[in-house]
Amino acid sequence: QKEVEQNSGPLSVPEGAIASLNCTYSDRGSQSFFWYRQYSGKSPELIMSIYSNGDKEDGRFTAQLNKASQYVSLLIRDSQPSDSATYLCAVKGNEKLTFGTGTRLTIIP
Amino acid sequence: EAQVTQNPRYLITVTGKKLTVTCSQNMNHEYMSWYRQDPGLGLRQIYYSMNVEVTDKGDVPEGYKVSRKEKRNFPLILESPSPNQTSLYFCASSFRQGSYGYTFGSGTRLTVV
């Protein structure tokens, strides 16, 4: 079992709709959770962090964390073509930050 | 501007010719790390450093060396590059080990022929 799992996609969402990205992790002791956005050929950019169960909202982005079920999700409301990118989930356990392989999101105009 | 600076952005080299990829951060971060990114494999950690003179292996350290003589700099050294080290490399830094998320450099695309 991979430490951090994401559906690789591609996930296609119409412009203006809600995009939902999911991530599961294996280490129950994980403490910190992050979502990064990566455009093709560019470096990952931190867009959300979440540390406790529940929802955290920042603009059009909402991160959701459920430690009991060991999953993290990212919702993007009012999706824009500029949101087309690969989204990486990252989870910090005791010693290191582990990345998933990413979900490729395409927003269809 | 707070940033992580990597150089070069692109590099083509031949097998066996030693090379160094530089990484510098201006945020006074304690933690620095090198990753390689390959299609289907995601970001894999090569080496990391918790602070000056403290370095440790990540998941894929074979064929690489690092040093941390100063807090701001964390160069990646390939003593004898091989074609399987062709990849996209990222340097990243953080105030602490991962607790606050990483700031990534712009990346170095390395091709070894």
Side-chain angles (χ1 to χ4, degrees), chain B residues 13-56:
Chain B
T13 190
V14 296
T15 298
K17 185 176 181 182
K18 181 179 178 180
L19 67 91
T20 299
V21 184
T22 63
C23 175
S24 180
Q25 51 92 6
N26 62 0
M27 296 167 282
N28 201 35
H29 283 170
E30 291 185 355
Y31 184 85
M32 298 184 74
S33 181
W34 276 102
Y35 286 86
R36 60 178 290 172
Q37 187 174 38
D38 303 287
L41 297 177
L43 283 164
R44 294 182 292 167
Q45 191 177 48
I46 302 170
Y47 268 95
Y48 64 93
S49 169
M50 302 281 280
N51 214 324
V52 176
E53 301 292 2
V54 181
T55 63
D56 209 343

Side-chain angles (χ1 to χ4, degrees), chain A residues 28-102:
Chain A
R28 280 196 172 276
S30 298
Q31 305 153 358
S32 308
F33 307 86
F34 306 91
W35 283 100
Y36 287 81
R37 177 177 62 201
Q38 186 176 24
Y39 295 113
S40 180
K42 302 295 185 182
S43 59
E45 172 193 11
L46 180 65
I47 54 172
M48 289 289 287
S49 59
I50 186 166
Y51 304 98
S52 55
N53 280 330
D55 295 0
K56 179 182 178 181
E57 187 174 318
D58 184 0
R60 295 187 296 112
F61 298 98
T62 299
Q64 299 174 317
L65 174 61
N66 184 325
K67 288 187 178 180
S69 300
Q70 294 176 247
Y71 85 77
V72 195
S73 62
L74 179 70
L75 302 178
I76 306 175
R77 290 182 300 283
D78 188 24
S79 296
Q80 302 296 311
S82 59
D83 294 326
S84 296
T86 296
Y87 289 80
L88 306 174
C89 173
V91 177
K92 181 183 180 298
N94 287 331
E95 295 185 352
K96 67 175 184 178
L97 192 63
T98 302
F99 288 84
T101 54

